[in-house]
């Protein structure tokens, strides 16, 4: 579902949990060039994760046609920024992505940065706020000032933490009000050449005033059966010489319905691990490693 904010044209954590996923579009069987290089994983100065994305494109992510079209439009606007600005249209640069954990929000943010040739700076707002509530306003202002330019995509994860903390009676109400006001001001004055993405697992906790300031809000939901089937094929084809029988993608994709990409990835990792353990324990050469329907069934029956 796409939510369009007021007065705008029609348009759009775990970091480590999603770093392992090769997300494949519905019209592509497989792409073997997906990998991430995380440099300066914990920056002692500002707590920002600096993510370098290589060999990865927007087409490698499974998205609904509507969401894909919105993202492509935004990227097109920024690629042709001068054309739009001369005609009084400022490209969208403030996005809110929401959906269940592991559904690809962070992956989408990474791919946008990759396509736009910008570095991706990921900030966990929950950790930033909880570390020292009294300094949160200053930290937020500093982050927006440092990364609000044409060189970066600033990703704010756990955006819903503000809503949760405002409802916590143990927190200083005045301090939380200052934090929200700082965030609102930082969004209002965010440079038009910068790019800002907020991500949350719980849209209901987002302050209405924050939502109104977004150019576009996208629901990155759980994958449907076709997307799951293509995702599984993209994984298994890498190990095709080790597949013992015809994998029943139809049954597997039905079994995985309602689960996130990261969960499916975790089951696939267990299947590979089990196959490797069995081949080593039986003193069988690596190329005799087996991936079968039976391997999947063993783990799928456990949930």
């Amino acid at each position: 579902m796409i939510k369009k904010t007021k007065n705008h044209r029609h348009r759009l954590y775990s970091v480590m949990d999603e770093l392992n996923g090769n997300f494949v579009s519905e019209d592509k069987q497989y792409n073997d060039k997906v990998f991430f290089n995380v440099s300066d994983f914990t920056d002692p100065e500002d707590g920002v994760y600096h993510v370098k994305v290589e060999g990865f494109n927007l087409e490698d992510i499974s998205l609904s046609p509507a969401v894909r079209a919105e993202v492509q439009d935004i990227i097109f606007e920024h690629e042709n920024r001068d054309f739009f600005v001369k005609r009084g249209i400022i490209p969208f640069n403030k996005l809110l992505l929401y959906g269940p954990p592991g559904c690809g929000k962070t992956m989408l943010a990474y791919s946008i940065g990759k396509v736009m040739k910008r570095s991706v700076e990921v900030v966990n707002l929950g950790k930033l706020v909880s570390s020292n509530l009294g300094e949160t306003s200053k930290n937020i202002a500093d982050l927006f000032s440092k990364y609000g330019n044409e060189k970066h995509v600033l990703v704010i994860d756990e955006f819903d933490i503000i809503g949760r903390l405002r409802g916590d009676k143990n927190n200083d109400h005045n301090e939380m009000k200052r934090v929200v006001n700082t965030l609102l001001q930082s969004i209002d004055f965010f440079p038009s050449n910068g790019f800002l993405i907020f991500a949350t697992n719980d849209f209901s906790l987002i302050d209405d005033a924050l939502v109104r300031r977004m150019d576009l809000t996208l629901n990155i939901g759980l994958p449907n059966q076709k997307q799951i089937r293509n995702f599984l094929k993209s994984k298994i084809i890498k190990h095709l010489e080790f597949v013992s029988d015809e994998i029943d993608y139809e049954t597997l994709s039905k079994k995985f319905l309602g689960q996130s990409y990261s969960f499916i990835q975790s089951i696939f990792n267990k299947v590979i691990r089990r196959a490797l353990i069995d081949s080593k324990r039986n003193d069988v050469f690596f190329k005799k490693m087996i991936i079968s329907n039976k391997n999947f069934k063993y783990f799928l029956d456990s949930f």
Side-chain angles (χ1 to χ4, degrees), residues 277-302:
I277 289 174
D278 289 344
S279 65
K280 180 65 176 177
R281 181 171 287 156
N282 297 324
D283 198 25
V284 177
F285 183 59
F286 177 74
K287 287 194 174 182
K288 295 297 183 182
M289 183 184 78
I290 298 301
I291 302 174
S292 66
N293 287 319
K294 182 179 179 181
N295 297 136
F296 277 101
K297 188 176 185 301
Y298 175 83
F299 291 104
L300 286 171
D301 287 347
S302 65

Side-chain angles (χ1 to χ4, degrees), residues 146-163:
K146 184 175 182 179
Y147 299 113
N149 55 59
E150 72 282 356
K151 297 179 180 179
H152 306 283
V153 170
L154 179 58
V155 181
I156 310 293
D157 202 10
E158 274 201 42
F159 193 36
D160 50 278
I161 188 66
I162 298 297

Side-chain angles (χ1 to χ4, degrees), residues 5 33 63 76 96-97 105 109 117 120 141 158 166 200 205 216 232 241 243 258:
T5 54
K33 298 181 180 178
L63 297 170
F76 182 81
L96 172 59
L97 309 179
K105 299 183 295 295
K117 298 183 173 72
V120 180
E158 274 201 42
R166 290 183 78 181
T200 179
L205 289 175
L216 194 58
L232 288 170
E241 61 183 304
V243 178

Side-chain angles (χ1 to χ4, degrees), residues 23-174:
F23 293 91
V24 181
S25 64
E26 294 184 9
D27 57 351
K28 288 186 71 176
Q29 273 198 320
Y30 177 65
N31 187 311
D32 195 24
K33 298 181 180 178
V34 181
F35 65 95
F36 299 92
N37 177 25
V38 182
S39 59
D40 301 327
F41 191 69
T42 35
D43 186 331
E45 294 182 2
D46 55 18
V48 176
Y49 299 95
H50 306 284
V51 183
K52 181 181 180 183
V53 185
E54 299 177 348
F56 184 71
N57 297 303
L58 182 63
E59 290 76 17
D60 298 310
I61 302 181
S62 285
L63 297 170
S64 70
V67 170
R68 184 178 299 282
E70 295 288 356
V71 174
Q72 289 173 334
D73 280 352
I74 290 173
I75 292 172
F76 182 81
E77 284 181 330
H78 281 269
E79 289 176 339
N80 299 273
R81 175 181 169 79
D82 290 344
F83 172 85
F84 288 98
V85 171
K86 286 179 181 178
R87 289 157 179 79
I89 300 296
I90 304 299
F92 281 179
N93 70 335
K94 294 185 284 288
L95 315 181
L96 172 59
L97 309 179
Y98 71 97
C103 64
K105 299 183 295 295
T106 310
M107 291 286 289
L108 178 55
Y110 294 162
S111 71
I112 290 174
K114 167 63 168 53
V115 174
M116 295 179 67
K117 298 183 173 72
R118 300 185 183 211
S119 64
V120 180
E121 321 297 341
V122 182
V123 182
N124 186 305
L125 192 58
K127 292 180 180 178
L128 184 70
V129 171
S130 61
S131 60
N132 193 335
L133 189 58
E135 297 180 3
T136 298
S137 294
K138 179 181 182 302
N139 292 339
I140 289 175
D142 289 345
L143 283 172
F144 275 74
S145 175
K146 184 175 182 179
Y147 299 113
N149 55 59
E150 72 282 356
K151 297 179 180 179
H152 306 283
V153 170
L154 179 58
V155 181
I156 310 293
D157 202 10
E158 274 201 42
F159 193 36
D160 50 278
I161 188 66
I162 298 297
R164 295 205 303 270
L165 290 177
R166 290 183 78 181
D168 188 345
K169 296 180 180 179
N170 295 322
N171 286 319
D172 185 336
H173 177 72
N174 289 330

Side-chain angles (χ1 to χ4, degrees), residues 264-277:
I264 300 170
Q265 175 72 48
S266 71
I267 293 295
F268 187 81
N269 289 344
K270 290 177 181 178
V271 169
I272 297 298
R273 178 177 177 273
R274 181 75 264 163
L276 284 170
I277 289 174

